[in-house]
């Protein structure tokens, strides 16, 4: 009994990296999210699941600041992110990828990844021209970072290829590389397995796990592919009809009767 109390106390004393607190989103008369709360802990992969219409995308869009919650708060390292505009979230350490890939199709892989570094470099033309040496150093650092990430995600061979001509799976990897180039604390992945074949999903799972382990990045994974979520997530939150249905380890959530019922009653399997 003593041990159990100690373990619980220890778990709750660790401050979360990101805290979702009682978040609700209402569109007209539709309650898309209804008082959802959970924590994301540093260096972990959190899987966010739920049947169609459960509220996953709405929550993802709140985290990436595309939507403003009607109620509640989202705290990164104890500070609300809700005062930040969407285009500033990379600066505070939140990176994201898009369900259908949002790259610059006519730029090379290298240039697309280079765009990602922009969030971490404060350059303005006048001060830069006055500090040429500093600019050259920054430029060298950016190049180094871009090449390191291209190597890390096995994209060196296609570095100078125009993105539009690449297979979808490779484009998804480029998007991941671009998000990593901003050196995020949290990476938000919106259905990264969508459109990938079995082998590609397997590789993706390994890549996401490596990113967590090697780069100390905390990951939120919104995903319909149950096999992927259950094999790589440290913690799973299940939503249904805008509410949190269950949370826990993948095994706990998978065995939860309410989760099973929600999935059996939906078209998702
Ligand atoms: P899916 O797995 O199908 O993508 P989801 O879990 O991501 O579903 P959401 O897209 O967040 O679910 O939708 C939650 C609810 O909010 C649904 O009832 C949806 O119809 C509604 N909704 C989402 N976005 C809007 C919007 N922009 N305007 C009005 N209603 C919306």
């Amino acid at each position: 009994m003593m041990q159990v109390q100690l373990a619980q106390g220890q778990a709750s004393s660790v401050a979360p990296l990101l805290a979702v607190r009682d978040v609700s989103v209402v569109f007209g008369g539709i309650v898309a999210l209804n008082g959802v709360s959970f924590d994301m802990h540093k260096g972990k992969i959190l899987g966010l699941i739920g049947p169609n219409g459960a509220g996953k995308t709405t929550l993802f869009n709140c985290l990436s600041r595309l939507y403003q919650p009607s109620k509640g708060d989202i705290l990164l390292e104890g500070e609300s992110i809700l005062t930040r505009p969407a285009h500033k979230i990379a600066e505070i350490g939140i990176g994201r990828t898009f369900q259908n890939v949002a790259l610059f199709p006519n730029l090379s892989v290298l240039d697309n990844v280079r765009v990602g570094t922009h969030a971490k470099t404060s350059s303005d033309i006048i001060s830069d021209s006055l500090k040429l040496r500093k600019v050259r150093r920054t430029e060298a650092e950016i190049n180094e970072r871009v090449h390191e990430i291209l190597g890390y995600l096995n994209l060196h061979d296609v570095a100078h290829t125009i993105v539009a001509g690449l297979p979808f799976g490779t484009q998804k990897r480029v998007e991941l590389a671009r998000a990593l180039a901003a050196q995020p604390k949290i990476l938000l992945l919106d259905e990264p397995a969508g459109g990938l074949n079995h082998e590609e999903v397997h590789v993706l799972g390994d890549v996401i796990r490596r990113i967590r382990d090697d780069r100390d990045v905390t990951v939120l994974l919104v995903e319909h592919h149950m096999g992927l979520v259950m094999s790589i997530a440290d913690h799973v939150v299940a939503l249904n009809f805008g509410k949190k249905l269950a949370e826990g380890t993948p095994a706990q959530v998978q065995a939860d009767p309410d989760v099973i019922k929600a999935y059996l009653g939906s078209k998702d399997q």
Side-chain angles (χ1 to χ4, degrees), residues 147-248:
H147 283 284
E148 188 274 326
I149 290 166
L150 289 177
Y152 185 75
L153 290 180
N154 209 10
L155 289 166
H156 253 151
D157 290 351
V158 290
H160 298 286
T161 307
I162 299 298
V163 154
L166 289 169
F168 190 61
T170 312
Q171 291 193 19
K172 287 207 145 185
R173 211 145 24 97
V174 177
E175 219 188 24
L176 207 48
R178 183 178 62 180
L180 285 181
Q183 300 177 312
K185 292 173 189 161
I186 293 186
L187 188 57
L188 309 174
L189 303 177
D190 193 5
E191 296 200 23
L196 301 186
N197 64 33
H198 183 73
E199 177 56 25
E200 286 171 328
V201 172
H202 185 74
V203 172
L204 175 73
D206 283 346
V207 169
I208 298 172
R209 245 194 307 234
R210 271 204 296 136
I211 289 171
R212 172 199 59 192
D213 296 342
D214 303 346
R215 307 182 90 90
D216 204 19
V217 174
T218 303
V219 178
L220 179 119
L221 175 68
V222 170
E223 191 48 76
H224 276 289
H225 194 296
M226 269 322 136
L228 177 66
V229 177
M230 295 304 171
S231 64
I232 69 169
D234 299 297
H235 195 77
V236 176
V237 171
L239 299 179
N240 197 23
F241 296 119
K243 287 192 169 185
K244 186 170 76 179
L245 195 58
E247 75 169 296

Side-chain angles (χ1 to χ4, degrees), residues 70-196:
S70 322
K71 200 174 95 181
D73 207 349
I74 299 171
L75 308 162
L76 177 65
E77 293 175 322
E79 273 191 43
S80 178
I81 67 164
L82 299 185
T83 52
R84 305 271 179 166
H87 67 277
K88 295 274 186 193
I89 61 152
E91 274 177 28
I92 58 169
I94 300 178
R96 68 162 297 177
T97 63
F98 294 79
Q99 211 169 319
N100 295 316
V101 177
L103 296 166
F104 295 103
N106 298 321
L107 291 185
S108 69
V109 168
L110 190 129
D111 286 339
N112 267 281
V113 177
R114 191 188 290 268
V115 169
T117 64
H118 182 70
K120 279 283 159 107
T121 50
S122 56
S123 59
D124 88 67
I125 290 169
I126 298 169
S127 66
D128 284 357
S129 60
L130 294 172
K131 299 177 207 155
L132 260 184
R133 204 165 341 139
K134 184 178 165 228
V135 174
R136 275 194 213 108
R137 200 177 58 223
T138 309
E139 192 60 20
E141 281 165 8
I142 287 173
N143 278 337
E144 196 178 317
R145 200 193 313 161
V146 168
H147 283 284
E148 188 274 326
I149 290 166
L150 289 177
Y152 185 75
L153 290 180
N154 209 10
L155 289 166
H156 253 151
D157 290 351
V158 290
H160 298 286
T161 307
I162 299 298
V163 154
L166 289 169
F168 190 61
T170 312
Q171 291 193 19
K172 287 207 145 185
R173 211 145 24 97
V174 177
E175 219 188 24
L176 207 48
R178 183 178 62 180
L180 285 181
Q183 300 177 312
K185 292 173 189 161
I186 293 186
L187 188 57
L188 309 174
L189 303 177
D190 193 5
E191 296 200 23
L196 301 186

Side-chain angles (χ1 to χ4, degrees), residues 52-53 60 64 173 184 236 249:
N52 289 125
F60 189 96
S64 57
R173 211 145 24 97
V236 176
T249 63

Side-chain angles (χ1 to χ4, degrees), residues 27 30-32 50-59 67 191 224 268:
F27 297 111
I30 296 169
V31 183
N52 289 125
K56 304 178 297 293
T57 306
T58 304
L59 183 55
Y67 291 167
E191 296 200 23
H224 276 289
D268 299 354

